[in-house]
Amino acid sequence: MPFTPIHLGPGLAFKAIGGRRFSFMVFGGAQVLMDIEPLLGILRGWPVLHGPTHTVWGALPIGLLAGAIGRPISAACLRSLRIPHAPFTWPASFAGALLGTYSHVLLDAIMHSDLQPVWPLSPANPLLRWISVDQLHLACMALGLFGVAAIVLRAAWNRLE
């Protein structure tokens, strides 16, 4: 299923580690952009849902696009919702976008048999079933819980100072 929320777990961990140097909003947007190809494939009945966009090479332009449009869109959303936030930087936008697209390829390579992560250099997918899909989902959820816990603890600590 495209637009899986399970991919956001690692993003929360990245946010906990990167703080304001990483945009979780842009990370989420990059996830959606990555899954436009599989969505079109589902709607049109393509035999391969994870094609060129789900490769090391395809993730780069999608990540660059997500980083370029992510900062102004995210800043506008935060401003319109009147959510206070630290200055939104271009490096944070591109960190969120590129970590979003490349983690997406990594996670999908583990679970989708039609994905060829280094195509056209090789049709192989050495990551396929590296761990089970259930283990992958549990790892993503664990990373998400770690990220939320670390973000909450950091916020509590900052209030004490």
Side-chain angles (χ1 to χ4, degrees), residues 34-150:
M34 286 295 291
D35 275 338
I36 290 174
E37 180 188 36
L39 175 63
L40 290 173
I42 289 168
L43 295 174
R44 295 186 176 181
W46 295 344
V48 174
L49 300 179
H50 301 89
T53 64
H54 282 68
T55 65
V56 172
W57 326 116
L60 180 60
I62 294 171
L64 294 174
L65 173 65
I69 66 174
R71 179 178 180 249
I73 291 171
S74 297
C77 288
L78 291 168
R79 194 170 39 255
S80 71
L81 295 171
R82 295 192 170 115
I83 297 173
H85 59 89
F88 201 124
T89 66
W90 285 110
S93 184
F94 282 100
L98 292 168
L99 281 168
T101 57
Y102 281 105
S103 68
H104 192 103
V105 171
L106 174 72
L107 296 172
D108 275 7
I110 293 170
M111 61 188 294
H112 295 293
S113 61
D114 64 342
L115 201 141
Q116 301 170 340
V118 294
W119 178 88
L121 299 179
S122 170
N125 181 355
L127 298 173
L128 185 63
R129 304 293 185 255
W130 177 64
I131 59 174
S132 73
V133 173
D134 287 343
Q135 290 170 322
L136 178 66
H137 288 169
L138 285 172
C140 288
M141 286 190 279
L143 286 167
L145 290 172
F146 159 78
V148 169

